[in-house]
């Protein structure tokens, strides 16, 4: 199962990602914008994808990816069940969320080998 250490390992490959507490969750931000939260009690990550990416991940991995069931979900916020998601798929989703929320100059700093 994927835990906080694995999530941090993936997220800290990305430029200017910081970790902060957010309510009862742990949030990960880029330039003050939350784009990933970790809920250890429910063993899930919530991340902000574009609506198109949300549909794409959900259609390919419908057991592990599902939209947040409210207006947040319509904005792209997506739950990922960590007990069943594959690490590489989670990494792809995190990179997609980062790409949808980070400034262009930060995206240019990501090395191709980090994406693999």
């Amino acid at each position: 199962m994927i835990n906080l250490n694995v999530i941090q390992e993936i997220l800290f490959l990305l430029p200017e990602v910081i970790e902060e507490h957010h309510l009862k969750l742990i949030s990960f931000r880029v330039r003050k914008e939350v784009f990933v939260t970790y809920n250890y009690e429910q063993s899930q990550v919530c991340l902000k994808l574009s609506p198109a990416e949300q549909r794409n991940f959900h259609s390919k991995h419908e057991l592990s990816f599902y939209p947040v069931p409210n207006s947040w979900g319509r904005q792209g916020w997506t739950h990922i069940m960590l007990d069943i998601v594959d690490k590489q798929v989670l990494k792809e989703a995190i990179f997609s969320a980062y790409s949808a929320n980070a400034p262009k100059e930060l995206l240019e700093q990501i090395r191709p080998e980090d994406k693999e």
Side-chain angles (χ1 to χ4, degrees):
M1 184 166 95
I2 295 171
N3 61 25
L4 179 59
N5 291 335
V6 173
I7 295 164
Q8 290 168 322
E9 172 188 307
I10 295 168
L11 282 157
F12 293 141
L13 291 170
L14 301 167
E16 295 189 29
V17 170
I18 60 167
E19 179 179 331
E20 292 183 358
H21 288 283
H22 178 73
L23 306 171
K24 293 183 179 182
L25 308 172
I26 297 172
S27 71
F28 295 89
R29 303 164 186 253
V30 59
R31 301 243 172 120
K32 300 183 183 181
E33 293 293 322
V34 175
F35 71 103
V36 175
T37 62
Y38 171 66
N39 184 327
Y40 59 89
E41 290 177 352
Q42 295 182 4
S43 186
Q44 70 183 16
V45 161
C46 185
L47 47 80
K48 186 176 183 189
L49 297 168
S50 70
E53 284 293 321
Q54 180 189 65
R55 287 189 297 277
N56 181 45
F57 278 103
H58 177 67
S59 69
K60 291 180 181 176
H61 312 281
E62 64 183 37
L63 295 178
S64 53
F65 283 75
Y66 60 95
V68 171
N70 57 30
S71 62
W72 290 91
R74 290 189 295 277
Q75 295 173 35
W77 284 99
T78 306
H79 287 302
I80 303 172
M81 303 309 297
L82 297 176
D83 54 346
I84 56 176
V85 71
D86 177 77
K87 180 181 176 182
Q88 185 59 36
V89 173
L90 175 65
K91 185 175 183 179
E92 291 169 18
I94 288 173
F95 273 62
S96 290
Y98 183 85
S99 296
N101 293 281
K104 184 178 178 180
E105 69 267 15
L106 295 182
L107 298 177
E108 294 170 354
Q109 296 177 30
I110 300 173
R111 300 177 316 213
E113 61 270 16
D114 289 339
K115 295 180 183 179
E116 297 172 3

